Amino acid sequence: MGANGINNIKAQLEGLNIRPNPALGQNFLCDDSAIELISRAASYDGQHELMEIGPGLGALTGALIGLVPRVTAVEIDANMVRALKARFSGEAGLDIIQSDILKLDIPSVMPGTFIAAGNLPYYITTPIVTRLLCLSSSIPCMTFMVQKEAARRFFAAPKTKLYGPLSIMAQYYYDIQSLLSLSPASYYPQPDVDSEVVRLIRRDMTAKLEPKRFFGFIEALFAMRRKTIYNNLKPILGSRDAICDALSSAGIAENARAEELSIDKLAQLAALCI
Ligand code: SAM
């Protein structure tokens, strides 16, 4: 399987005296052709700085350096950070930050426009992607390796179980492509599930709602998914008149539920309420 093949990853871990930590979702990508495809897709137009989430031992990092002007790699695990610093010492195009991506103040680390990529730790895929979607104005492209079920969430349609804030935010701001499916055999150690690479390319942001406010609104509408939209709007709009006005202006029935509504309808309603 090449430089990142299973035996090579095992040898790297043994040399560093590190055991993969399942609690941190450490399944290392061993498939060189997948690494090549992801890094090429992720580097987009080659113009922007890139933030890599969860670089691990650096399989993707090594491929990304050279394709973009600067890579900022954010890794929580001190062992991985040590390994990365040793492997890429003297590499001018790489910054390594030891941090929990869910706690990091991303705009202070990536103050301009940037692209995002990573073989994401599966246990926190939704909160990571949600944080980044709230920064859509700064991120023209994101490429992620995720669990198959999480990938389906990106594409989910109304009236399905997986349709929710992540699907709505992703489809409202981005065109989404599925680039590759991978079986557990492409990783060491092997995960229990298949994976998929998805790429999000931002749509024209003119006239789009501000991402954080739109997310807050959608999250409130899906807080109790089985409740009617009327009930979920109460904490936001307060009076019965205000709720009925907004619903009738958007052409939405009082007894509808958010999960039944198209993204266009939800955006139309949000424009009246936030
Ligand atoms: N990119 C490497 C690869 O493809 O081989 C490793 C991917 S592994 C699926 C996920 C990586 O995310 C691990 O290195 C893990 O330590 C790191 N990670 C887990 N939780 C994290 C968090 N909250 N913030 C930053 N990195 C995290």
Side-chain angles (χ1 to χ4, degrees):
M1 274 199 182
N4 295 287
I6 290 177
N7 288 337
N8 199 288
I9 296 280
K10 278 186 182 168
Q12 279 185 63
L13 290 165
E14 272 169 31
L16 294 156
N17 204 15
I18 298 174
R19 278 170 189 244
N21 183 346
L24 291 176
Q26 288 179 353
N27 304 101
F28 301 102
L29 191 50
C30 302
D31 181 330
D32 277 348
S33 56
I35 290 167
E36 162 89 10
L37 182 143
I38 298 166
S39 53
R40 294 229 163 257
S43 56
Y44 189 49
D45 58 10
Q47 298 298 311
H48 293 98
E49 300 205 2
L50 183 145
M51 182 173 74
E52 186 191 354
I53 298 148
L57 294 167
L60 278 173
T61 323
L64 288 166
I65 297 168
L67 290 175
V68 290
R70 175 160 291 275
V71 175
T72 300
V74 181
E75 170 60 58
I76 198 169
D77 183 348
N79 283 330
M80 295 298 139
V81 168
R82 189 163 41 89
L84 287 165
K85 287 191 170 160
R87 175 169 172 183
F88 297 110
S89 85
E91 183 56 68
L94 175 66
D95 284 326
I96 300 163
I97 297 180
Q98 188 185 344
S99 173
D100 178 346
I101 187 66
L102 296 180
K103 297 196 177 134
L104 184 70
D105 177 3
I106 296 173
S108 78
V109 174
M110 307 297 296
T113 298
F114 68 98
I115 50 186
N119 173 13
L120 297 184
Y122 292 169
Y123 72 110
I124 44 169
T125 297
T126 297
I128 292 175
V129 176
T130 301
R131 282 200 94 197
L132 295 171
L133 288 169
C134 286
L135 298 172
S136 307
S137 322
S138 305
I139 313 180
C141 179
M142 314 190 200
T143 308
F144 299 125
M145 166 87 71
V146 297
Q147 227 176 313
K148 264 235 176 296
E149 155 121 0
R152 283 202 291 273
R153 218 173 265 283
F154 283 95
F155 296 97
K159 300 183 190 168
T160 63
K161 204 176 80 188
L162 295 178
Y163 185 63
L166 185 137
S167 343
I168 294 160
M169 291 290 287
Q171 292 172 38
Y172 180 67
Y173 294 107
Y174 293 87
D175 284 317
I176 310 167
Q177 307 163 321
S178 167
L179 300 183
L180 179 72
S181 293
L182 283 178
S183 76
S186 294
Y187 303 83
Y188 178 80
Q190 293 194 11
D192 297 330
V193 289
D194 285 340
S195 305
E196 194 161 321
V197 178
V198 288
R199 181 163 76 159
L200 287 72
I201 297 187
R202 198 176 57 196
R203 297 165 183 267
D204 180 5
M205 288 295 276
T206 325
K208 290 274 187 211
L209 296 157
E210 196 283 317
K212 258 192 206 142
R213 296 182 70 191
F214 187 38
F215 178 70
F217 180 73
I218 297 293
E219 207 181 26
L221 292 193
F222 279 82
M224 313 245 195
R225 338 179 28 113
R226 304 306 297 166
K227 269 194 182 181
T228 63
I229 197 146
Y230 178 91
N231 279 322
N232 278 326
L233 277 173
K234 273 188 199 160
I236 302 171
L237 293 180
S239 76
R240 173 166 177 78
D241 283 355
I243 300 171
C244 292
D245 277 357
L247 289 175
S248 94
S249 303
I252 298 171
E254 279 179 40
N255 63 353
R257 287 196 294 261
E259 62 186 4
E260 301 165 349
L261 299 176
S262 70
I263 295 170
D264 282 350
K265 272 279 168 236
L266 290 166
Q268 208 182 327
L269 181 63
L272 294 159
C273 300
I274 59 177

